[in-house]
Amino acid sequence: MTEDRPGPELPPSRGPVSAAVLAYLRAAGPLPHAEDTRRASPYGDDLQLALYLCYELHYRGFAEVDPDLEWDPDLLRTRAQLEDRFLSALRADTPVHDSVEAAVKELLVEPAEGTGVSHYLRDQGELWQVREYIAQRSLYHLKEADPHAWVLPRLWGRAKAGMAAVEFDEYGGGRAERVHARLFADMMAGLELEPTYGHYLDAASAEMLATVNMMSLLGLHRALRGALVGHFAAVEITSSPGSRRLAEAMRRTGAGSAAEFFYDEHVEADAVHEQVVRHDVIGGLLEEEPHLAADVTFGIDATGFVEDRLARHLLTAWHAGSPSLRNTHIS
């Protein structure tokens, strides 16, 4: 076992597949049988946690897990089975536009009366719901931009330059205190949430795991680079107006100055990023590789699909006055 900086603690399992993956990571048992992964719900807690565990080895890993397992061939075969189950479901279930242009055009149109999470939090959300939302989103935002960075070696020319420019901003423009993941951790601390990386993994819903897993899935496979670019475009195009509503929610609920700053920062930055992504990243990619247009469209629409599932989970719980987090309630 090689030396490594300690990562977060391993979470409890959520079913037989994740239990077997956890046992293997602890050198305490075999990996799940292929039949078990085929039977697992593609969007369910068990499969999504198992896949998240596999992917996290490519980020910060886990405490007491051998970092060499990142490239363990048996674990990679299991990950491929999990990925196939998830990606096949996404391809089957995602309504896909006819073209990149049609998909982007729809993203650019803000509904007159929105009903999403940012609208709810702005108009009627309570502080405990804001804090739950931040805890859920911490699975991504504490490693913000990292899943997208995988695509950089797979691009060239205008697409690479545009992608690198946006990522540079996400990483604080060379200033450690302005790295977006750092700003998110500051916001969590201001909301009296635990800002330690991975702290809320056990509490996060399967729907939240799926949104992060999709980023890693697309980023880690060169063959899916077009879909990753589409996903990134969907995130950046919708971020500025959504962040504006969330900034208003932070002010209305008294979430604090760090929370207001985080979303105000994204209003300004992502308005610029949207133009770069549309014209340089998508435009540059399709100029070089026009055959990836269908993949870009799929990436855009699959992002909307998983985000809509997460929104339904959050809003269904909150409308019922119930927590959206598993096994915990943030008061």
Side-chain angles (χ1 to χ4, degrees), residues 108-116 119 122-123 245:
L108 292 169
V109 177
E110 278 280 288
E113 295 184 8
T115 57
H119 295 86
R122 179 194 65 187
D123 297 337
R245 288 188 291 271

Side-chain angles (χ1 to χ4, degrees), residues 244-282:
R244 182 175 292 106
R245 288 188 291 271
L246 289 169
E248 293 173 12
M250 299 305 141
R251 293 185 180 91
R252 188 182 63 78
T253 59
S257 59
E260 295 173 19
F261 182 80
F262 179 83
Y263 287 107
D264 283 337
E265 170 77 6
H266 280 70
V267 172
E268 181 178 348
D270 291 343
V272 176
H273 293 171
E274 177 252 309
Q275 297 289 324
V276 175
V277 172
R278 279 201 295 138
H279 297 296
D280 293 330
V281 183
I282 292 180

Side-chain angles (χ1 to χ4, degrees), residues 59-125:
Y59 295 103
R60 301 197 197 179
F62 293 97
E64 300 180 18
V65 172
D66 187 343
D68 290 339
L69 285 175
E70 178 182 5
W71 300 111
D72 179 87
D74 294 327
L75 188 60
L76 290 175
R77 277 190 287 272
T78 293
R79 194 189 88 185
Q81 294 165 5
L82 298 168
E83 288 176 328
D84 181 67
R85 188 89 173 95
F86 184 34
L87 183 58
S88 294
L90 286 175
R91 291 197 184 279
D93 297 340
T94 299
V96 179
H97 285 83
D98 293 333
S99 67
V100 174
E101 292 76 13
V104 170
K105 182 178 180 180
E106 185 167 322
L107 289 178
L108 292 169
V109 177
E110 278 280 288
E113 295 184 8
T115 57
V117 172
S118 62
H119 295 86
Y120 176 87
L121 291 176
R122 179 194 65 187
D123 297 337
Q124 57 186 296

